[in-house]
Amino acid sequence: MFEVPEDRKYMESHEYATTDGDTATVGISDFAQDELGDVVFVELPQAGDEVSQDADFGVVESIKAVSDLYAPVSGTVTAVNEELFDQPELVNQDPYGDGWMLEIDVADENEFDDLLSADEYREQTE
């Protein structure tokens, strides 16, 4: 069974977003990192870049596959986890903590309504 924290929302493509006021922290789920295998490279946007809900914002590469990353919400990137450039394995080790990818200044909080709850996401991955 994979960890699916209740404090965030999920996309069918396995990205998550957790919010603290107007800021969303984005990463990939425990299920996604397990399916990918050992992550060896992460390509992310820069702070100040705009991202749009459901549009790709980067790439995660593992020993098995290369996968696009999709934005759960629209907004401006305010921070990028630069530790992932030297330690991409953090995505595998701690996808909901040290393996986070972006922080976004959310443009429209209503977009969270389009995402899956933890229960809905859990059902999808079973």
Side-chain angles (χ1 to χ4, degrees):
M1 194 69 174
F2 296 99
E3 184 181 358
V4 182
E6 298 286 335
D7 66 343
R8 52 203 76 208
K9 301 279 248 171
Y10 299 86
M11 296 182 70
E12 289 183 11
S13 56
H14 309 293
E15 293 81 7
Y16 68 78
T18 183
T19 185
D20 180 18
D22 295 334
T23 302
T25 301
V26 174
I28 64 170
S29 71
D30 188 28
F31 176 85
Q33 70 78 23
D34 185 71
E35 288 289 303
L36 282 167
D38 293 338
V39 174
V40 296
F41 177 76
V42 178
E43 180 182 307
L44 300 172
Q46 296 180 349
D49 287 354
E50 297 289 323
V51 295
S52 298
Q53 186 177 42
D54 297 326
D56 65 330
F57 69 78
V59 173
V60 62
E61 183 176 336
S62 72
I63 57 174
K64 290 185 190 176
V66 175
S67 297
D68 288 329
L69 297 165
Y70 297 94
V73 292
S74 303
T76 304
V77 176
T78 57
V80 175
N81 187 352
E82 295 188 10
E83 289 186 34
L84 297 182
F85 301 137
D86 294 327
Q87 296 179 284
E89 65 274 8
L90 290 173
V91 173
N92 296 112
Q93 294 167 0
D94 190 10
Y96 299 119
D98 291 340
W100 66 277
M101 295 180 174
L102 306 177
E103 287 184 352
I104 300 171
D105 185 11
V106 179
D108 181 359
E109 290 186 23
N110 292 325
E111 288 182 342
F112 280 97
D113 296 339
D114 299 335
L115 303 175
L116 302 173
S117 69
D119 286 340
E120 291 167 330
Y121 181 72
R122 205 174 284 114
E123 287 175 17
Q124 176 190 303
T125 60
E126 289 178 351

